[in-house]
Amino acid sequence: MTNPHQNVSFASNGRTAHGYLATPGRPGPGVVVIQEWWGLTDHVADVANRFAAEGFVALAPDLYGGHTTHDAQEASRMMQELPVDRAARDLAGAVDHLLGHELVTGSAVGAVGFCMGGKFALVLAAQQGDRIGAVIPFYGIPPVETDFSAMTAPMLGHFGEYDRGVTVDAVGEVADKIKKQTDVHPQVHVYAAGHAFFNDQNPASYHEESARVAWPRTLDFLHRHLG
């Protein structure tokens, strides 16, 4: 029997990547949970645990090689020093790992990302095509010049009305680009909150009412598209 909560290593394009795996102890759909710029924190692991409690096999890749921070300047530096191609490889390896896991059902997995992870979730969906069956960015988007043409995953986005870093206008531009390049029609929810409103371990940004609404929407969307 697989340990329901464990640190794991997995192959990733010629190297070894690491992450945190939470399973429900029974077969279920797979979900890649992609970290904020703080790293693979207790909050990200807790989100993976929450997904497992709802029947998903959740893998949170560690994109910073074990480093985490609570300092915004250091987080910004770590994010800027993270090669996008390496992050994409690690995330692709996480998709491979989930699809090969004994408990994961179906031929596609979900991708859920927060802040920086929201950006990477959409990039992953664009790169992986039909291996991503649903993509859910929380307050994170890639540049509008991103090529989304290979993306087939339905998208559900959660964004804050008062987010100064990821504005509603910028979200609209990316959603329009996805609609033009693909058959996907993004569902976007805007909450009366700022950035990182789902992070209940960051009192400065957490907005309980918005988080409480976003979570069941997320679960429903994943169950609807992944089973």
Side-chain angles (χ1 to χ4, degrees):
M1 177 65 70
T2 302
N3 184 337
H5 307 293
Q6 59 179 324
N7 295 319
V8 294
S9 301
F10 50 91
S12 179
N13 198 26
R15 58 187 291 275
T16 299
H18 306 278
Y20 175 76
L21 180 71
T23 76
R26 63 183 187 279
V31 176
V32 181
V33 181
I34 310 174
Q35 68 188 50
E36 294 178 291
W37 69 347
W38 309 113
L40 181 47
T41 60
D42 290 343
H43 167 63
V44 179
D46 179 64
V47 172
N49 291 342
R50 291 173 64 184
F51 276 124
E54 297 292 341
F56 296 94
V57 181
L59 174 58
D62 181 359
L63 299 177
Y64 286 167
H67 298 288
T68 61
T69 183
H70 295 289
D71 179 79
Q73 284 189 323
E74 185 178 9
S76 178
R77 177 186 60 76
M78 290 164 68
M79 179 179 70
Q80 291 170 3
E81 291 177 354
L82 173 65
V84 175
D85 60 338
R86 195 196 78 196
R89 286 199 304 271
D90 286 355
L91 294 171
V95 174
D96 292 337
H97 186 74
L98 282 174
L99 290 176
H101 195 281
E102 60 184 0
L103 293 180
V104 172
T105 58
S107 58
V109 300
V112 181
F114 302 86
C115 177
M116 176 187 80
K119 171 178 70 175
F120 284 143
L122 284 169
V123 170
L124 183 67
Q127 290 181 347
Q128 295 292 308
D130 60 8
R131 298 196 336 145
I132 303 297
V135 58
I136 304 178
F138 278 76
Y139 34 82
I141 52 172
V144 71
E145 60 266 23
T146 302
D147 182 4
F148 296 103
S149 57
M151 177 174 157
T152 62
M155 171 188 156
L156 173 69
H158 301 296
F159 300 94
E161 180 181 0
Y162 310 121
D163 190 333
R164 291 174 292 180
V166 183
T167 66
V168 174
D169 287 345
V171 172
E173 289 180 12
V174 168
D176 287 344
K177 176 81 175 287
I178 291 171
K179 283 188 281 189
K180 288 177 182 176
Q181 289 193 325
T182 73
D183 294 327
V184 176
H185 292 272
Q187 298 179 36
V188 173
H189 293 286
V190 178
Y191 301 81
H195 191 72
F197 64 80
F198 193 77
N199 188 341
D200 57 2
Q201 296 185 20
N202 187 347
S205 62
Y206 179 56
H207 191 259
E208 182 178 2
E209 181 180 353
S210 298
R212 192 168 60 241
V213 174
W215 180 244
R217 282 176 172 168
T218 296
L219 296 175
D220 177 69
F221 192 79
L222 289 172
H223 280 304
R224 194 153 20 104
H225 293 290
L226 300 179

